[in-house]
Amino acid sequence: MPLAPNWVYISNRPKTKRKMRVKMRRLAACRGGAFGILFMSKSHYIIRGGAEGRERLRVLSRILHPLTVDLLHRAGAEAGMVCLEAGCGGGDVALEMARMVGAEGKVVAIDIDPVKIDLARREAEAEQISNVKYRLGDIVGELFEQEFDFVHARFLLTHLPDPERALENMRRSMRPGGVIVLEDIDFRGHFCYPDCTAFLRYVELYTRTVACRGGDANIGPRLPALLGGAGFDNIQMNVVQPAGMSGEVKLMAALTMENIAHAVVSEGLATQEEIESLVARLRDFAATPGTVQSMPRIVQAWASQPR
């Protein structure tokens, strides 16, 4: 059954029921017991979407480009493959995959944000890349034919209350011997130097807001176990973490704090005034010579569909 927008469907499977009951209690606690709004009108994705959110994703993609491209090659992306990019955001990784698979391959890229999908289509047309198709879609609720040789998702599972269901759908979409590649965060590894109270508060607010929406900001180390639980074989992993004393990597904390402001305020975790102060202090810290900022620790995991 297709999912209606902004609704959560609960499986009748006993294990799924138990997991959802636990998540309901956690979500209710985040909202001070305001339980009646859990299943309507709230996105699990806490970061601002639309055109403004796309600009943040451009910076993020430039930082991560060499790491993700290396991962895709290592996992086996090659010419002629049919690929799925789940939660494609602005479409940067999908474009890179389209270049890798060439004219004889193709990429299907899905996301729940119609503005980002429209922008991604325009950018693909401007670059004259015709073997990528962007469309609205939700990997949790959408069912595909068994058609893909290669599936990739970056920073997607962290936002989902039921990442197992998403992986189940991904596996069903894959041909025997196909490859799945995941990249996701572990916010516990996020660091700066010297210590900065604004940075520590940002890490706290991001982690708590994701939890309030049913996600896990520290899901990265779970990826191999999630892949194994979904039935994949030949599981491998790697850990990467961009950091620096200059450049765009130092901008990401302030950009992200700014882009989660609405979700943080709506969950009652901070005021708009506090967030504006945090953003200003994070920018000042980034601009201070000699300071260091990192991205969250990123776990990369890949595996294959049994033949």
Side-chain angles (χ1 to χ4, degrees):
M1 179 172 64
L3 290 175
N6 298 322
W7 284 76
V8 175
Y9 289 81
I10 301 177
S11 167
N12 287 323
R13 292 175 294 177
K15 287 184 179 179
T16 303
K17 280 183 173 180
R18 286 196 297 271
K19 285 188 292 185
M20 289 306 296
R21 281 196 293 267
V22 171
K23 291 181 184 295
M24 288 175 193
R25 289 195 293 269
R26 290 174 180 169
L27 288 164
C30 284
R31 295 177 173 87
F35 197 78
I37 62 173
L38 287 182
F39 297 105
M40 297 187 291
S41 304
K42 281 235 176 189
S43 171
H44 299 301
Y45 189 65
I46 72 166
I47 305 173
R48 179 165 53 183
E52 299 91 345
R54 174 65 179 114
E55 293 311 308
R56 172 186 169 275
L57 289 179
R58 289 188 203 280
V59 177
L60 180 65
S61 291
R62 287 194 293 268
I63 295 167
L64 296 180
H65 179 266
L67 300 173
T68 294
V69 169
D70 179 70
L71 173 63
L72 296 176
H73 282 302
R74 186 187 313 182
E78 60 185 17
M81 282 184 162
V82 179
C83 304
L84 172 66
E85 173 69 2
C88 67
D92 299 302
V93 177
L95 286 180
E96 197 60 48
M97 292 169 69
R99 297 184 185 100
M100 289 181 180
V101 302
E104 61 271 38
K106 72 173 183 179
V107 177
V108 176
I110 65 170
D111 199 89
I112 61 172
D113 187 331
V115 175
K116 287 178 185 169
I117 287 292
D118 183 58
L119 291 170
R121 286 173 179 155
R122 295 182 191 180
E123 291 177 23
E125 291 173 3
E127 295 197 34
Q128 297 184 324
I129 297 177
S130 60
N131 63 333
V132 58
K133 304 298 180 187
Y134 294 101
R135 62 184 180 82
L136 283 174
D138 180 353
I139 195 61
V140 175
E142 188 159 349
L143 297 178
F144 295 89
E145 299 295 325
Q146 192 180 42
E147 57 186 302
F148 297 111
D149 305 301
F150 197 96
V151 174
H152 176 259
R154 184 171 75 186
F155 305 161
L156 171 65
L157 298 185
T158 181
H159 296 287
L160 303 181
D162 193 356
E164 293 89 351
R165 182 171 177 178
L167 285 172
E168 188 177 301
N169 276 355
M170 291 181 201
R171 185 182 169 192
R172 286 176 179 162
S173 78
M174 295 169 62
R175 294 171 178 163
V179 174
I180 183 169
V181 181
L182 305 174
E183 300 180 82
D184 231 313
I185 57 175
D186 182 0
F187 243 68
R188 292 168 300 190
H190 214 340
F191 68 87
C192 71
Y193 181 83
D195 287 342
C196 172
T197 56
F199 187 88
L200 295 175
R201 178 64 169 154
Y202 151 67
V203 170
E204 176 195 2
L205 288 173
Y206 186 98
T207 303
R208 290 180 63 191
T209 306
V210 170
C212 284
R213 297 289 175 92
D216 180 1
N218 304 316
I219 199 172
R222 294 172 53 198
L223 296 184
L226 287 168
L227 287 169
F232 289 100
D233 286 341
N234 304 315
I235 300 167
Q236 301 180 65
M237 67 169 289
N238 185 45
V239 176
V240 295
Q241 187 167 20
M245 298 175 65
S246 61
E248 289 184 317
V249 70
K250 293 186 73 177
L251 304 178
M252 284 307 302
L255 283 173
T256 302
M257 186 71 255
E258 191 172 41
N259 278 269
I260 66 171
H262 177 76
V264 173
V265 172
S266 70
E267 297 298 340
L269 300 176
T271 65
Q272 185 63 37
E273 291 75 17
E274 181 189 2
I275 291 171
E276 290 173 2
S277 173
L278 287 173
V279 171
R281 289 159 61 197
L282 287 167
R283 287 177 176 160
D284 287 345
F285 183 82
T288 302
T291 57
V292 174
Q293 277 196 41
S294 77
M295 294 276 292
R297 184 162 50 221
I298 300 167
V299 176
Q300 302 173 327
W302 62 102
S304 58
Q305 169 83 300
R307 294 186 181 275

